[in-house]
Amino acid sequence: MTTTTSPSRTRALRALRVELRLHRETVAGTVAFSVIALLAAGLLTDILIWVAPLWAALLWYRLGREDGEQAADLRAGLSLSRADALRGRAALVVLISLVLTVVTAVGTGIADAVDMDGATSLVVLGGTAEGPIAPVPLALPIEALTIGLQLTVTGLIVGKECTTRRPSAWMWPLSLISYGGAVLLTSLLAMAGGFLVIQLMPLTELPFEQGIRLFGLAQIVLLAILLVLALQLLRRRVRVWAGALDAGGEVSRG
């Protein structure tokens, strides 16, 4: 049985390939930065690991600013509309963000494994005098899912302004503020959850370590659900933005 690819998916894949070509320097820079950050996490310091999410938070703005007349001519030559370009760019942002999210989580694990001085986690899990509220094997997926959720929320806030028009300069601080707000919100929720578990643990008959492990697993499930929902919402918003461009309702470029 032969599998055929729908025309819309074919155009989406073509748009993604064009975006990869147009932004190859940014993609190459991301790969190089990721390698350097991982090596530094194991040999020197984990500070570069925490630049990765900031790099990802600025992707919507950076890719929008890189768009120019040459890019428009290339897309026109391939019969790709601005709506196709928007879909392709959104897919590229998600792919690069995924890479940087994994790099952050893995780099943190490397730094913790070699017991680097100053190795910290921006995802506050709560804890006791004996250690973190979640064991390290669970802390890493929790961290990755949390960062992914934070970056998706950032995209929901700044994505439209950075894709339907050429983003103005003020969008880069707004991107960082949006990401910072998402970090603060998820950290407060995680702290509240950790505090609640510590208060409830004496009321259960579970050993402390087992209770903490169950709490970590529950965090993973909850974060995974929230991330899937946020990605679905972002996907729907991208369709709305692209639909407005297809209908000729785009906002004029500034």
Side-chain angles (χ1 to χ4, degrees), residues 60 86-87 89-91 93-95 97 148-149 151-160 163 226-242:
W60 295 95
L86 187 153
R87 298 183 187 98
R89 190 183 306 164
V93 170
V94 171
L95 287 175
S97 297
L149 179 60
L151 293 175
T152 304
V153 171
T154 302
L156 287 168
I157 296 173
V158 304
K160 179 181 178 180
T163 53
L226 291 175
L227 179 57
V228 169
L229 292 175
L231 286 171
Q232 286 297 320
L233 179 58
L234 179 61
R235 182 183 181 186
R236 293 183 63 179
R237 296 307 301 163
V238 167
R239 287 180 176 177
V240 171
W241 304 336

PDB file of all heavy atoms in Angstrom, residues 60 86-87 89-91 93-95 97 148-149 151-160 163 226-242:
ATOM      1  N   TRP A  60      12.149  33.543  18.302  1.00  0.00           N
ATOM      2  CA  TRP A  60      11.087  34.169  17.521  1.00  0.00           C
ATOM      3  C   TRP A  60      11.524  35.546  17.027  1.00  0.00           C
ATOM      4  O   TRP A  60      11.330  35.892  15.854  1.00  0.00           O
ATOM      5  CB  TRP A  60       9.817  34.307  18.364  1.00  0.00           C
ATOM      6  CG  TRP A  60       9.196  33.015  18.763  1.00  0.00           C
ATOM      7  CD1 TRP A  60       9.391  32.340  19.939  1.00  0.00           C
ATOM      8  CD2 TRP A  60       8.269  32.212  18.003  1.00  0.00           C
ATOM      9  NE1 TRP A  60       8.645  31.178  19.952  1.00  0.00           N
ATOM     10  CE2 TRP A  60       7.949  31.077  18.790  1.00  0.00           C
ATOM     11  CE3 TRP A  60       7.681  32.366  16.750  1.00  0.00           C
ATOM     12  CZ2 TRP A  60       7.067  30.094  18.347  1.00  0.00           C
ATOM     13  CZ3 TRP A  60       6.797  31.396  16.305  1.00  0.00           C
ATOM     14  CH2 TRP A  60       6.502  30.273  17.094  1.00  0.00           C
ATOM     15  N   LEU A  86       5.490  31.495   7.597  1.00  0.00           N
ATOM     16  CA  LEU A  86       5.171  31.557   9.024  1.00  0.00           C
ATOM     17  C   LEU A  86       5.135  30.155   9.623  1.00  0.00           C
ATOM     18  O   LEU A  86       5.702  29.913  10.692  1.00  0.00           O
ATOM     19  CB  LEU A  86       3.835  32.273   9.215  1.00  0.00           C
ATOM     20  CG  LEU A  86       3.386  32.605  10.642  1.00  0.00           C
ATOM     21  CD1 LEU A  86       2.463  33.813  10.637  1.00  0.00           C
ATOM     22  CD2 LEU A  86       2.687  31.434  11.323  1.00  0.00           C
ATOM     23  N   ARG A  87       4.485  29.239   8.929  1.00  0.00           N
ATOM     24  CA  ARG A  87       4.406  27.863   9.429  1.00  0.00           C
ATOM     25  C   ARG A  87       5.802  27.235   9.506  1.00  0.00           C
ATOM     26  O   ARG A  87       6.126  26.551  10.483  1.00  0.00           O
ATOM     27  CB  ARG A  87       3.506  27.033   8.520  1.00  0.00           C
ATOM     28  CG  ARG A  87       2.057  27.514   8.455  1.00  0.00           C
ATOM     29  CD  ARG A  87       1.209  26.591   7.597  1.00  0.00           C
ATOM     30  NE  ARG A  87      -0.133  27.124   7.384  1.00  0.00           N
ATOM     31  CZ  ARG A  87      -0.518  27.784   6.291  1.00  0.00           C
ATOM     32  NH1 ARG A  87       0.342  27.971   5.295  1.00  0.00           N
ATOM     33  NH2 ARG A  87      -1.759  28.227   6.175  1.00  0.00           N
ATOM     34  N   ARG A  89       8.691  28.781   9.803  1.00  0.00           N
ATOM     35  CA  ARG A  89       9.500  29.402  10.853  1.00  0.00           C
ATOM     36  C   ARG A  89       9.084  28.918  12.231  1.00  0.00           C
ATOM     37  O   ARG A  89       9.927  28.683  13.105  1.00  0.00           O
ATOM     38  CB  ARG A  89       9.406  30.922  10.782  1.00  0.00           C
ATOM     39  CG  ARG A  89      10.431  31.615  11.690  1.00  0.00           C
ATOM     40  CD  ARG A  89      10.265  33.103  11.644  1.00  0.00           C
ATOM     41  NE  ARG A  89      10.318  33.589  10.277  1.00  0.00           N
ATOM     42  CZ  ARG A  89       9.903  34.801   9.912  1.00  0.00           C
ATOM     43  NH1 ARG A  89       9.403  35.637  10.809  1.00  0.00           N
ATOM     44  NH2 ARG A  89       9.982  35.184   8.651  1.00  0.00           N
ATOM     45  N   ALA A  90       7.770  28.781  12.443  1.00  0.00           N
ATOM     46  CA  ALA A  90       7.296  28.275  13.730  1.00  0.00           C
ATOM     47  C   ALA A  90       7.821  26.869  13.985  1.00  0.00           C
ATOM     48  O   ALA A  90       8.245  26.547  15.105  1.00  0.00           O
ATOM     49  CB  ALA A  90       5.771  28.285  13.765  1.00  0.00           C
ATOM     50  N   ALA A  91       7.822  26.032  12.950  1.00  0.00           N
ATOM     51  CA  ALA A  91       8.355  24.673  13.094  1.00  0.00           C
ATOM     52  C   ALA A  91       9.845  24.710  13.414  1.00  0.00           C
ATOM     53  O   ALA A  91      10.337  23.928  14.243  1.00  0.00           O
ATOM     54  CB  ALA A  91       8.104  23.877  11.817  1.00  0.00           C
ATOM     55  N   VAL A  93      11.502  27.137  14.955  1.00  0.00           N
ATOM     56  CA  VAL A  93      11.665  27.595  16.334  1.00  0.00           C
ATOM     57  C   VAL A  93      11.442  26.446  17.308  1.00  0.00           C
ATOM     58  O   VAL A  93      12.205  26.268  18.268  1.00  0.00           O
ATOM     59  CB  VAL A  93      10.697  28.758  16.647  1.00  0.00           C
ATOM     60  CG1 VAL A  93      10.701  29.060  18.144  1.00  0.00           C
ATOM     61  CG2 VAL A  93      11.091  29.997  15.867  1.00  0.00           C
ATOM     62  N   VAL A  94      10.405  25.652  17.067  1.00  0.00           N
ATOM     63  CA  VAL A  94      10.110  24.527  17.954  1.00  0.00           C
ATOM     64  C   VAL A  94      11.246  23.504  17.924  1.00  0.00           C
ATOM     65  O   VAL A  94      11.666  22.994  18.978  1.00  0.00           O
ATOM     66  CB  VAL A  94       8.776  23.862  17.562  1.00  0.00           C
ATOM     67  CG1 VAL A  94       8.576  22.565  18.341  1.00  0.00           C
ATOM     68  CG2 VAL A  94       7.615  24.807  17.827  1.00  0.00           C
ATOM     69  N   LEU A  95      11.784  23.216  16.744  1.00  0.00           N
ATOM     70  CA  LEU A  95      12.868  22.239  16.630  1.00  0.00           C
ATOM     71  C   LEU A  95      14.130  22.715  17.355  1.00  0.00           C
ATOM     72  O   LEU A  95      14.750  21.949  18.110  1.00  0.00           O
ATOM     73  CB  LEU A  95      13.182  21.970  15.154  1.00  0.00           C
ATOM     74  CG  LEU A  95      12.157  21.144  14.386  1.00  0.00           C
ATOM     75  CD1 LEU A  95      12.547  21.056  12.905  1.00  0.00           C
ATOM     76  CD2 LEU A  95      12.030  19.743  14.974  1.00  0.00           C
ATOM     77  N   SER A  97      14.296  24.963  19.713  1.00  0.00           N
ATOM     78  CA  SER A  97      13.991  25.033  21.145  1.00  0.00           C
ATOM     79  C   SER A  97      14.087  23.649  21.784  1.00  0.00           C
ATOM     80  O   SER A  97      14.544  23.514  22.929  1.00  0.00           O
ATOM     81  CB  SER A  97      12.592  25.616  21.359  1.00  0.00           C
ATOM     82  OG  SER A  97      12.519  26.941  20.884  1.00  0.00           O
ATOM     83  N   GLY A 148      10.620  23.337  28.470  1.00  0.00           N
ATOM     84  CA  GLY A 148       9.815  23.276  27.256  1.00  0.00           C
ATOM     85  C   GLY A 148       8.502  24.025  27.409  1.00  0.00           C
ATOM     86  O   GLY A 148       8.062  24.745  26.504  1.00  0.00           O
ATOM     87  N   LEU A 149       7.875  23.887  28.576  1.00  0.00           N
ATOM     88  CA  LEU A 149       6.625  24.593  28.847  1.00  0.00           C
ATOM     89  C   LEU A 149       6.862  26.099  28.885  1.00  0.00           C
ATOM     90  O   LEU A 149       6.079  26.889  28.331  1.00  0.00           O
ATOM     91  CB  LEU A 149       6.035  24.102  30.169  1.00  0.00           C
ATOM     92  CG  LEU A 149       4.729  24.750  30.631  1.00  0.00           C
ATOM     93  CD1 LEU A 149       3.623  24.528  29.610  1.00  0.00           C
ATOM     94  CD2 LEU A 149       4.322  24.198  31.999  1.00  0.00           C
ATOM     95  N   LEU A 151       9.196  27.850  27.382  1.00  0.00           N
ATOM     96  CA  LEU A 151       9.480  28.359  26.045  1.00  0.00           C
ATOM     97  C   LEU A 151       8.217  28.385  25.185  1.00  0.00           C
ATOM     98  O   LEU A 151       8.040  29.290  24.353  1.00  0.00           O
ATOM     99  CB  LEU A 151      10.563  27.516  25.374  1.00  0.00           C
ATOM    100  CG  LEU A 151      11.952  27.610  26.003  1.00  0.00           C
ATOM    101  CD1 LEU A 151      12.907  26.640  25.323  1.00  0.00           C
ATOM    102  CD2 LEU A 151      12.495  29.041  25.894  1.00  0.00           C
ATOM    103  N   THR A 152       7.340  27.412  25.373  1.00  0.00           N
ATOM    104  CA  THR A 152       6.089  27.394  24.614  1.00  0.00           C
ATOM    105  C   THR A 152       5.210  28.567  25.010  1.00  0.00           C
ATOM    106  O   THR A 152       4.586  29.217  24.152  1.00  0.00           O
ATOM    107  CB  THR A 152       5.345  26.067  24.842  1.00  0.00           C
ATOM    108  OG1 THR A 152       6.197  24.965  24.490  1.00  0.00           O
ATOM    109  CG2 THR A 152       4.095  26.004  23.969  1.00  0.00           C
ATOM    110  N   VAL A 153       5.137  28.854  26.306  1.00  0.00           N
ATOM    111  CA  VAL A 153       4.373  30.015  26.772  1.00  0.00           C
ATOM    112  C   VAL A 153       4.954  31.304  26.182  1.00  0.00           C
ATOM    113  O   VAL A 153       4.215  32.199  25.755  1.00  0.00           O
ATOM    114  CB  VAL A 153       4.369  30.070  28.311  1.00  0.00           C
ATOM    115  CG1 VAL A 153       3.774  31.386  28.808  1.00  0.00           C
ATOM    116  CG2 VAL A 153       3.589  28.890  28.874  1.00  0.00           C
ATOM    117  N   THR A 154       6.283  31.378  26.123  1.00  0.00           N
ATOM    118  CA  THR A 154       6.926  32.548  25.515  1.00  0.00           C
ATOM    119  C   THR A 154       6.505  32.710  24.063  1.00  0.00           C
ATOM    120  O   THR A 154       6.202  33.817  23.607  1.00  0.00           O
ATOM    121  CB  THR A 154       8.457  32.417  25.605  1.00  0.00           C
ATOM    122  OG1 THR A 154       8.848  32.275  26.971  1.00  0.00           O
ATOM    123  CG2 THR A 154       9.140  33.643  25.020  1.00  0.00           C
ATOM    124  N   GLY A 155       6.468  31.597  23.325  1.00  0.00           N
ATOM    125  CA  GLY A 155       6.046  31.646  21.931  1.00  0.00           C
ATOM    126  C   GLY A 155       4.609  32.101  21.766  1.00  0.00           C
ATOM    127  O   GLY A 155       4.278  32.840  20.829  1.00  0.00           O
ATOM    128  N   LEU A 156       3.749  31.685  22.690  1.00  0.00           N
ATOM    129  CA  LEU A 156       2.353  32.108  22.638  1.00  0.00           C
ATOM    130  C   LEU A 156       2.223  33.621  22.823  1.00  0.00           C
ATOM    131  O   LEU A 156       1.318  34.253  22.269  1.00  0.00           O
ATOM    132  CB  LEU A 156       1.544  31.386  23.719  1.00  0.00           C
ATOM    133  CG  LEU A 156       1.265  29.900  23.461  1.00  0.00           C
ATOM    134  CD1 LEU A 156       0.711  29.247  24.732  1.00  0.00           C
ATOM    135  CD2 LEU A 156       0.278  29.743  22.310  1.00  0.00           C
ATOM    136  N   ILE A 157       3.137  34.207  23.589  1.00  0.00           N
ATOM    137  CA  ILE A 157       3.062  35.642  23.875  1.00  0.00           C
ATOM    138  C   ILE A 157       3.660  36.473  22.743  1.00  0.00           C
ATOM    139  O   ILE A 157       3.062  37.466  22.309  1.00  0.00           O
ATOM    140  CB  ILE A 157       3.774  35.952  25.206  1.00  0.00           C
ATOM    141  CG1 ILE A 157       3.059  35.257  26.366  1.00  0.00           C
ATOM    142  CG2 ILE A 157       3.831  37.466  25.442  1.00  0.00           C
ATOM    143  CD1 ILE A 157       3.777  35.375  27.692  1.00  0.00           C
ATOM    144  N   VAL A 158       4.826  36.084  22.248  1.00  0.00           N
ATOM    145  CA  VAL A 158       5.542  36.938  21.280  1.00  0.00           C
ATOM    146  C   VAL A 158       5.504  36.413  19.855  1.00  0.00           C
ATOM    147  O   VAL A 158       5.935  37.109  18.933  1.00  0.00           O
ATOM    148  CB  VAL A 158       7.018  37.119  21.715  1.00  0.00           C
ATOM    149  CG1 VAL A 158       7.106  37.675  23.121  1.00  0.00           C
ATOM    150  CG2 VAL A 158       7.795  35.797  21.609  1.00  0.00           C
ATOM    151  N   GLY A 159       5.015  35.192  19.655  1.00  0.00           N
ATOM    152  CA  GLY A 159       5.074  34.585  18.333  1.00  0.00           C
ATOM    153  C   GLY A 159       4.379  35.382  17.246  1.00  0.00           C
ATOM    154  O   GLY A 159       4.917  35.552  16.147  1.00  0.00           O
ATOM    155  N   LYS A 160       3.185  35.898  17.527  1.00  0.00           N
ATOM    156  CA  LYS A 160       2.426  36.618  16.499  1.00  0.00           C
ATOM    157  C   LYS A 160       3.182  37.845  16.008  1.00  0.00           C
ATOM    158  O   LYS A 160       3.319  38.073  14.789  1.00  0.00           O
ATOM    159  CB  LYS A 160       1.061  37.018  17.045  1.00  0.00           C
ATOM    160  CG  LYS A 160       0.226  37.792  16.039  1.00  0.00           C
ATOM    161  CD  LYS A 160      -1.119  38.201  16.629  1.00  0.00           C
ATOM    162  CE  LYS A 160      -1.934  39.012  15.627  1.00  0.00           C
ATOM    163  NZ  LYS A 160      -3.238  39.434  16.171  1.00  0.00           N
ATOM    164  N   THR A 163       6.163  37.004  13.731  1.00  0.00           N
ATOM    165  CA  THR A 163       5.981  36.232  12.503  1.00  0.00           C
ATOM    166  C   THR A 163       5.074  36.922  11.489  1.00  0.00           C
ATOM    167  O   THR A 163       5.258  36.749  10.288  1.00  0.00           O
ATOM    168  CB  THR A 163       5.394  34.841  12.813  1.00  0.00           C
ATOM    169  OG1 THR A 163       4.209  34.988  13.597  1.00  0.00           O
ATOM    170  CG2 THR A 163       6.392  33.981  13.557  1.00  0.00           C
ATOM    171  N   LEU A 226       0.627  19.375  30.550  1.00  0.00           N
ATOM    172  CA  LEU A 226       0.605  20.822  30.340  1.00  0.00           C
ATOM    173  C   LEU A 226       1.377  21.212  29.088  1.00  0.00           C
ATOM    174  O   LEU A 226       0.946  22.090  28.324  1.00  0.00           O
ATOM    175  CB  LEU A 226       1.177  21.542  31.557  1.00  0.00           C
ATOM    176  CG  LEU A 226       0.347  21.481  32.845  1.00  0.00           C
ATOM    177  CD1 LEU A 226       1.103  22.145  33.990  1.00  0.00           C
ATOM    178  CD2 LEU A 226      -1.006  22.155  32.631  1.00  0.00           C
ATOM    179  N   LEU A 227       2.519  20.546  28.850  1.00  0.00           N
ATOM    180  CA  LEU A 227       3.324  20.864  27.671  1.00  0.00           C
ATOM    181  C   LEU A 227       2.586  20.491  26.392  1.00  0.00           C
ATOM    182  O   LEU A 227       2.584  21.256  25.416  1.00  0.00           O
ATOM    183  CB  LEU A 227       4.671  20.146  27.750  1.00  0.00           C
ATOM    184  CG  LEU A 227       5.614  20.364  26.555  1.00  0.00           C
ATOM    185  CD1 LEU A 227       5.887  21.850  26.347  1.00  0.00           C
ATOM    186  CD2 LEU A 227       6.914  19.600  26.764  1.00  0.00           C
ATOM    187  N   VAL A 228       1.968  19.323  26.379  1.00  0.00           N
ATOM    188  CA  VAL A 228       1.204  18.905  25.194  1.00  0.00           C
ATOM    189  C   VAL A 228       0.072  19.889  24.923  1.00  0.00           C
ATOM    190  O   VAL A 228      -0.162  20.294  23.767  1.00  0.00           O
ATOM    191  CB  VAL A 228       0.662  17.479  25.374  1.00  0.00           C
ATOM    192  CG1 VAL A 228      -0.349  17.144  24.270  1.00  0.00           C
ATOM    193  CG2 VAL A 228       1.803  16.462  25.359  1.00  0.00           C
ATOM    194  N   LEU A 229      -0.642  20.293  25.963  1.00  0.00           N
ATOM    195  CA  LEU A 229      -1.731  21.248  25.795  1.00  0.00           C
ATOM    196  C   LEU A 229      -1.214  22.595  25.281  1.00  0.00           C
ATOM    197  O   LEU A 229      -1.830  23.211  24.395  1.00  0.00           O
ATOM    198  CB  LEU A 229      -2.469  21.444  27.123  1.00  0.00           C
ATOM    199  CG  LEU A 229      -3.267  20.246  27.629  1.00  0.00           C
ATOM    200  CD1 LEU A 229      -3.855  20.543  29.014  1.00  0.00           C
ATOM    201  CD2 LEU A 229      -4.390  19.885  26.648  1.00  0.00           C
ATOM    202  N   ALA A 230      -0.078  23.046  25.819  1.00  0.00           N
ATOM    203  CA  ALA A 230       0.494  24.320  25.387  1.00  0.00           C
ATOM    204  C   ALA A 230       0.949  24.249  23.930  1.00  0.00           C
ATOM    205  O   ALA A 230       0.754  25.191  23.157  1.00  0.00           O
ATOM    206  CB  ALA A 230       1.666  24.706  26.297  1.00  0.00           C
ATOM    207  N   LEU A 231       1.543  23.124  23.540  1.00  0.00           N
ATOM    208  CA  LEU A 231       1.983  22.959  22.150  1.00  0.00           C
ATOM    209  C   LEU A 231       0.790  22.911  21.196  1.00  0.00           C
ATOM    210  O   LEU A 231       0.845  23.454  20.093  1.00  0.00           O
ATOM    211  CB  LEU A 231       2.824  21.690  22.009  1.00  0.00           C
ATOM    212  CG  LEU A 231       4.243  21.762  22.591  1.00  0.00           C
ATOM    213  CD1 LEU A 231       4.892  20.388  22.584  1.00  0.00           C
ATOM    214  CD2 LEU A 231       5.095  22.761  21.792  1.00  0.00           C
ATOM    215  N   GLN A 232      -0.274  22.251  21.630  1.00  0.00           N
ATOM    216  CA  GLN A 232      -1.479  22.213  20.803  1.00  0.00           C
ATOM    217  C   GLN A 232      -2.064  23.614  20.646  1.00  0.00           C
ATOM    218  O   GLN A 232      -2.531  23.985  19.560  1.00  0.00           O
ATOM    219  CB  GLN A 232      -2.514  21.271  21.424  1.00  0.00           C
ATOM    220  CG  GLN A 232      -2.185  19.794  21.268  1.00  0.00           C
ATOM    221  CD  GLN A 232      -2.162  19.362  19.815  1.00  0.00           C
ATOM    222  OE1 GLN A 232      -2.972  19.770  18.992  1.00  0.00           O
ATOM    223  NE2 GLN A 232      -1.202  18.504  19.478  1.00  0.00           N
ATOM    224  N   LEU A 233      -2.040  24.384  21.728  1.00  0.00           N
ATOM    225  CA  LEU A 233      -2.534  25.756  21.654  1.00  0.00           C
ATOM    226  C   LEU A 233      -1.663  26.587  20.724  1.00  0.00           C
ATOM    227  O   LEU A 233      -2.181  27.381  19.920  1.00  0.00           O
ATOM    228  CB  LEU A 233      -2.558  26.376  23.058  1.00  0.00           C
ATOM    229  CG  LEU A 233      -3.040  27.829  23.143  1.00  0.00           C
ATOM    230  CD1 LEU A 233      -4.441  27.962  22.568  1.00  0.00           C
ATOM    231  CD2 LEU A 233      -3.003  28.308  24.589  1.00  0.00           C
ATOM    232  N   LEU A 234      -0.337  26.412  20.821  1.00  0.00           N
ATOM    233  CA  LEU A 234       0.562  27.133  19.931  1.00  0.00           C
ATOM    234  C   LEU A 234       0.313  26.745  18.480  1.00  0.00           C
ATOM    235  O   LEU A 234       0.315  27.597  17.580  1.00  0.00           O
ATOM    236  CB  LEU A 234       2.014  26.847  20.315  1.00  0.00           C
ATOM    237  CG  LEU A 234       3.087  27.522  19.440  1.00  0.00           C
ATOM    238  CD1 LEU A 234       2.956  29.038  19.503  1.00  0.00           C
ATOM    239  CD2 LEU A 234       4.480  27.084  19.869  1.00  0.00           C
ATOM    240  N   ARG A 235       0.085  25.466  18.239  1.00  0.00           N
ATOM    241  CA  ARG A 235      -0.202  24.998  16.882  1.00  0.00           C
ATOM    242  C   ARG A 235      -1.462  25.661  16.323  1.00  0.00           C
ATOM    243  O   ARG A 235      -1.495  26.094  15.172  1.00  0.00           O
ATOM    244  CB  ARG A 235      -0.358  23.479  16.895  1.00  0.00           C
ATOM    245  CG  ARG A 235      -0.602  22.861  15.527  1.00  0.00           C
ATOM    246  CD  ARG A 235      -0.806  21.368  15.654  1.00  0.00           C
ATOM    247  NE  ARG A 235      -1.024  20.757  14.354  1.00  0.00           N
ATOM    248  CZ  ARG A 235      -1.336  19.483  14.169  1.00  0.00           C
ATOM    249  NH1 ARG A 235      -1.446  18.677  15.228  1.00  0.00           N
ATOM    250  NH2 ARG A 235      -1.538  19.006  12.959  1.00  0.00           N
ATOM    251  N   ARG A 236      -2.495  25.758  17.168  1.00  0.00           N
ATOM    252  CA  ARG A 236      -3.736  26.403  16.734  1.00  0.00           C
ATOM    253  C   ARG A 236      -3.526  27.890  16.475  1.00  0.00           C
ATOM    254  O   ARG A 236      -4.077  28.450  15.522  1.00  0.00           O
ATOM    255  CB  ARG A 236      -4.821  26.202  17.783  1.00  0.00           C
ATOM    256  CG  ARG A 236      -5.267  24.758  17.946  1.00  0.00           C
ATOM    257  CD  ARG A 236      -6.399  24.614  18.943  1.00  0.00           C
ATOM    258  NE  ARG A 236      -7.598  25.329  18.487  1.00  0.00           N
ATOM    259  CZ  ARG A 236      -8.742  25.346  19.165  1.00  0.00           C
ATOM    260  NH1 ARG A 236      -8.842  24.713  20.336  1.00  0.00           N
ATOM    261  NH2 ARG A 236      -9.783  26.001  18.698  1.00  0.00           N
ATOM    262  N   ARG A 237      -2.723  28.526  17.329  1.00  0.00           N
ATOM    263  CA  ARG A 237      -2.458  29.949  17.130  1.00  0.00           C
ATOM    264  C   ARG A 237      -1.681  30.184  15.839  1.00  0.00           C
ATOM    265  O   ARG A 237      -1.939  31.146  15.115  1.00  0.00           O
ATOM    266  CB  ARG A 237      -1.673  30.513  18.322  1.00  0.00           C
ATOM    267  CG  ARG A 237      -2.412  30.476  19.654  1.00  0.00           C
ATOM    268  CD  ARG A 237      -3.776  31.120  19.558  1.00  0.00           C
ATOM    269  NE  ARG A 237      -3.672  32.519  19.141  1.00  0.00           N
ATOM    270  CZ  ARG A 237      -4.676  33.246  18.672  1.00  0.00           C
ATOM    271  NH1 ARG A 237      -5.867  32.693  18.517  1.00  0.00           N
ATOM    272  NH2 ARG A 237      -4.502  34.504  18.340  1.00  0.00           N
ATOM    273  N   VAL A 238      -0.721  29.311  15.542  1.00  0.00           N
ATOM    274  CA  VAL A 238       0.036  29.437  14.298  1.00  0.00           C
ATOM    275  C   VAL A 238      -0.905  29.318  13.099  1.00  0.00           C
ATOM    276  O   VAL A 238      -0.777  30.041  12.106  1.00  0.00           O
ATOM    277  CB  VAL A 238       1.149  28.372  14.222  1.00  0.00           C
ATOM    278  CG1 VAL A 238       1.745  28.286  12.812  1.00  0.00           C
ATOM    279  CG2 VAL A 238       2.257  28.697  15.225  1.00  0.00           C
ATOM    280  N   ARG A 239      -1.860  28.399  13.178  1.00  0.00           N
ATOM    281  CA  ARG A 239      -2.846  28.261  12.101  1.00  0.00           C
ATOM    282  C   ARG A 239      -3.664  29.529  11.941  1.00  0.00           C
ATOM    283  O   ARG A 239      -3.966  29.948  10.818  1.00  0.00           O
ATOM    284  CB  ARG A 239      -3.766  27.075  12.389  1.00  0.00           C
ATOM    285  CG  ARG A 239      -3.110  25.708  12.189  1.00  0.00           C
ATOM    286  CD  ARG A 239      -4.099  24.597  12.506  1.00  0.00           C
ATOM    287  NE  ARG A 239      -3.526  23.287  12.224  1.00  0.00           N
ATOM    288  CZ  ARG A 239      -4.155  22.137  12.469  1.00  0.00           C
ATOM    289  NH1 ARG A 239      -5.376  22.147  13.010  1.00  0.00           N
ATOM    290  NH2 ARG A 239      -3.573  20.990  12.171  1.00  0.00           N
ATOM    291  N   VAL A 240      -4.039  30.150  13.056  1.00  0.00           N
ATOM    292  CA  VAL A 240      -4.806  31.393  13.001  1.00  0.00           C
ATOM    293  C   VAL A 240      -3.972  32.502  12.368  1.00  0.00           C
ATOM    294  O   VAL A 240      -4.453  33.245  11.493  1.00  0.00           O
ATOM    295  CB  VAL A 240      -5.275  31.803  14.413  1.00  0.00           C
ATOM    296  CG1 VAL A 240      -5.881  33.207  14.395  1.00  0.00           C
ATOM    297  CG2 VAL A 240      -6.296  30.803  14.940  1.00  0.00           C
ATOM    298  N   TRP A 241      -2.721  32.635  12.804  1.00  0.00           N
ATOM    299  CA  TRP A 241      -1.848  33.666  12.237  1.00  0.00           C
ATOM    300  C   TRP A 241      -1.650  33.449  10.740  1.00  0.00           C
ATOM    301  O   TRP A 241      -1.727  34.398   9.957  1.00  0.00           O
ATOM    302  CB  TRP A 241      -0.496  33.663  12.947  1.00  0.00           C
ATOM    303  CG  TRP A 241      -0.574  33.843  14.428  1.00  0.00           C
ATOM    304  CD1 TRP A 241      -1.589  34.445  15.126  1.00  0.00           C
ATOM    305  CD2 TRP A 241       0.370  33.406  15.405  1.00  0.00           C
ATOM    306  NE1 TRP A 241      -1.325  34.403  16.475  1.00  0.00           N
ATOM    307  CE2 TRP A 241      -0.132  33.772  16.688  1.00  0.00           C
ATOM    308  CE3 TRP A 241       1.581  32.745  15.343  1.00  0.00           C
ATOM    309  CZ2 TRP A 241       0.555  33.497  17.866  1.00  0.00           C
ATOM    310  CZ3 TRP A 241       2.279  32.459  16.514  1.00  0.00           C
ATOM    311  CH2 TRP A 241       1.763  32.832  17.757  1.00  0.00           C
ATOM    312  N   ALA A 242      -1.389  32.199  10.361  1.00  0.00           N
ATOM    313  CA  ALA A 242      -1.186  31.888   8.948  1.00  0.00           C
ATOM    314  C   ALA A 242      -2.469  32.106   8.158  1.00  0.00           C
ATOM    315  O   ALA A 242      -2.440  32.588   7.022  1.00  0.00           O
ATOM    316  CB  ALA A 242      -0.700  30.443   8.793  1.00  0.00           C
TER     317      ALA A 242
END
